């Protein structure tokens, strides 16, 4: 064994015995790795590379779709905000128109009620006036009838009755 070690006395030696050092086995293993590993490992790396590229492509596609969806959602939000503002403004305008219409109807109804009250008051005043006239005429007639016999003698009463009958027959 000492013959196969070179420079063994210096601390580092090189063993040139092929069977002891297992160089042939190492050469066979290295050759096998060199021959078969690139195909096996290369195929695995290529498949992994393809999977990563496919995942990146899918991620980019999803990002594009998400960006498009985000843009569309922003447009829809803007449109919805515009519609909401328009609806709010239309509602305020409609509420103001309803309020004005209600006020107008209230004023008209109050005027109609006031007119009705004035009309009722005038009608009642006319009725009371007519009743007072009838009562005054009745009292005047009663007083005249009460005082007339004392003032008229027999001949004047006969003339008065004849005159009244003539006046009635002419009509």
């Amino acid at each position: 064994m000492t013959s196969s070690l070179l420079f063994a006395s210096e601390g580092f030696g090189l063993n040139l015995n092929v069977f002891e050092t297992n160089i042939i086995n190492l050469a066979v293993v290295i050759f096998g790795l060199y021959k078969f590993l690139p195909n096996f490992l290369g195929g695995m790396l290529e498949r992994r590379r393809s999977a990563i590229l496919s995942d990146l492509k899918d991620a980019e596609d999803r990002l594009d779709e998400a960006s498009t969806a985000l843009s569309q959602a922003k447009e829809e939000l803007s449109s919805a905000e515009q519609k909401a503002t328009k609806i709010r403004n239309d509602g305020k305008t409609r509420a103001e128109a309803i309020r004005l219409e209600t006020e107008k109807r209230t004023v008209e109804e109050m005027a109609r009620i006031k007119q009705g009250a004035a009309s009722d008051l005038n009608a009642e005043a006319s009725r009371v006036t007519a009743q007072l006239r009838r009562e005054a005429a009745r009292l005047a007639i009663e007083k005249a009838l009460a005082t007339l016999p004392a003032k008229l003698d027999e001949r004047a009463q006969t003339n008065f009755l004849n005159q009244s009958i003539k006046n009635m027959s002419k009509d």
Side-chain angles (χ1 to χ4, degrees), residues 19 25 33 48 54 70 74-75 96 103 106 112 140-141:
F19 295 110
N25 288 339
L33 287 175
R48 182 67 183 145
S54 175
L70 178 62
K74 284 181 179 179
E75 289 174 7
E96 183 65 20
E103 286 177 0
T106 302
R112 188 186 65 75
I141 291 171

Side-chain angles (χ1 to χ4, degrees), residues 7 49 59 77 90 99 133 146:
F7 309 111
R49 180 177 170 270
L77 176 63
D90 289 347
R99 184 186 65 79
R133 282 184 187 158

